[in-house]
Amino acid sequence: MKVTTPIKVRYQETDQMGVVYHANYLIWFEIGRTAFIEELGFEYHEMEAKGVVSPVVDANIQFKQPIRYGDDAYVETWLEKYNGIRTTYGYQIIGQDGEVAVTGETQHVIVKKDNFRPLSLKKQFPNWHEAYQKALKVSE
């Protein structure tokens, strides 16, 4: 399962060279990840209401070609890996020409917000676990 989310490049996202500043792609990954989760029927605030957050524990990004102010772009998001505890999302940023501009992955765990004690997504949110297992099978 892959979810595509449109991105309109804003002026403040660009650098002096007129291209999207590299750190903004991580924000776009988050936009795509949130859309992916919502497509599965869930929302982060449901998790947060139970005192649980999902920090990034690893991020990997490759830049292939620039995206400029005024361009239309799309972030494609899918579940790359999931084992009940760690979740890895895959991303591609597609430029308006249809070419892949950026690829990457982020890895997440869930933790108690007050003490950052790791939790099992499988045990704490069995509905998310089931949906992630199904989404992973669709991606294979």
Side-chain angles (χ1 to χ4, degrees):
M1 174 180 151
K2 200 177 270 191
V3 174
T4 302
T5 308
I7 302 288
K8 182 70 175 168
V9 180
R10 298 172 300 174
Y11 182 77
Q12 68 265 30
E13 293 174 313
T14 62
D15 60 18
Q16 191 174 6
M17 295 177 286
V19 300
V20 173
Y21 180 68
H22 67 277
N24 285 314
Y25 292 113
L26 290 169
I27 295 168
W28 293 5
F29 286 2
E30 182 179 353
I31 291 168
R33 185 170 61 252
T34 299
F36 179 87
I37 290 166
E38 289 173 353
E39 183 72 21
L40 292 177
F42 304 104
E43 295 190 19
Y44 271 130
H45 71 82
E46 295 169 347
M47 190 179 279
E48 291 172 351
K50 296 182 181 195
V52 176
V53 293
S54 180
V56 174
V57 295
D58 190 35
N60 186 346
I61 189 166
Q62 299 82 40
F63 305 99
K64 301 184 181 305
Q65 63 182 5
I67 294 182
R68 292 175 165 60
Y69 170 66
D71 287 354
D72 290 321
Y74 303 87
V75 57
E76 294 180 341
T77 309
W78 63 92
L79 202 55
E80 186 70 31
K81 297 176 197 165
Y82 171 70
N83 67 7
I85 296 176
R86 292 185 182 269
T87 305
T88 303
Y89 300 92
Y91 311 92
Q92 286 190 140
I93 306 293
I94 309 296
Q96 64 186 21
D97 59 2
E99 297 294 320
V100 175
V102 177
T103 60
E105 294 180 346
T106 59
Q107 187 178 99
H108 302 255
V109 295
I110 62 169
V111 299
K112 288 295 286 177
K113 186 177 183 176
D114 58 355
N115 63 12
F116 266 63
R117 185 176 58 88
L119 300 169
S120 163
L121 186 68
K122 180 178 180 178
K123 291 179 184 175
Q124 296 295 316
F125 298 93
N127 292 344
W128 286 47
H129 170 74
E130 185 178 321
Y132 276 21
Q133 285 190 312
K134 287 179 184 174
L136 194 57
K137 287 180 183 172
V138 170
S139 295
E140 292 177 344

